[in-house]
Amino acid sequence: VDWEKIGIVVVHIEADFVRQIFASDHIAVQTAVSKIGTKSFHLIQRVIDTETNEIKCVCKSVMVTFDLEKHESMPLTKEWIEAICKYEERDLLRTEK
């Protein structure tokens, strides 16, 4: 990927902080792709304390592929979709009803 020409931008984010996070906490962000569209994909994330496994924050994000030269959204490539589905070990193109 030529990151000078193609980017991924955040277009929407929701975050629910359910516990305080302190500077001394050891935290990690767990991320999974929950849905893929033609130009976007949705992420679900949670911030956890790695020592206690306590959930500190739950997030939902929408990411869009972006043509940095034309300054407009662009379709996800077949290769990206296949790579994401392979990494997530499931078909994300199916929509739930």
Side-chain angles (χ1 to χ4, degrees):
V1 175
D2 184 347
W3 294 112
E4 298 288 322
K5 295 179 181 179
I6 298 172
I8 300 172
V9 296
V10 179
V11 296
H12 180 78
I13 195 165
E14 295 175 33
D16 293 316
F17 293 87
V18 295
R19 299 277 186 269
Q20 288 180 307
I21 300 173
F22 299 95
S24 60
D25 289 344
H26 295 103
I27 60 169
V29 179
Q30 299 173 329
T31 303
V33 178
S34 61
K35 179 180 168 184
I36 295 179
T38 57
K39 296 182 178 184
S40 66
F41 55 96
H42 295 230
L43 301 177
I44 51 175
Q45 298 166 297
R46 64 183 184 179
V47 178
I48 63 161
D49 183 307
T50 59
E51 294 177 346
T52 65
N53 286 325
E54 179 180 45
I55 296 171
K56 301 285 191 165
C57 179
V58 178
C59 304
K60 293 180 182 179
S61 308
V62 179
M63 312 296 286
V64 170
T65 47
F66 198 76
D67 185 316
L68 297 170
E69 293 179 327
K70 294 180 182 177
H71 300 280
E72 61 185 31
S73 62
M74 58 180 280
L76 281 160
T77 66
K78 181 181 176 183
E79 293 79 20
W80 282 25
I81 293 169
E82 288 174 353
I84 292 169
C85 290
K86 183 178 178 180
Y87 180 81
E88 291 290 336
E89 298 180 340
R90 57 198 165 105
D91 182 1
L92 293 160
L93 295 174
R94 292 187 196 163
T95 55
E96 294 184 29
K97 298 188 182 206

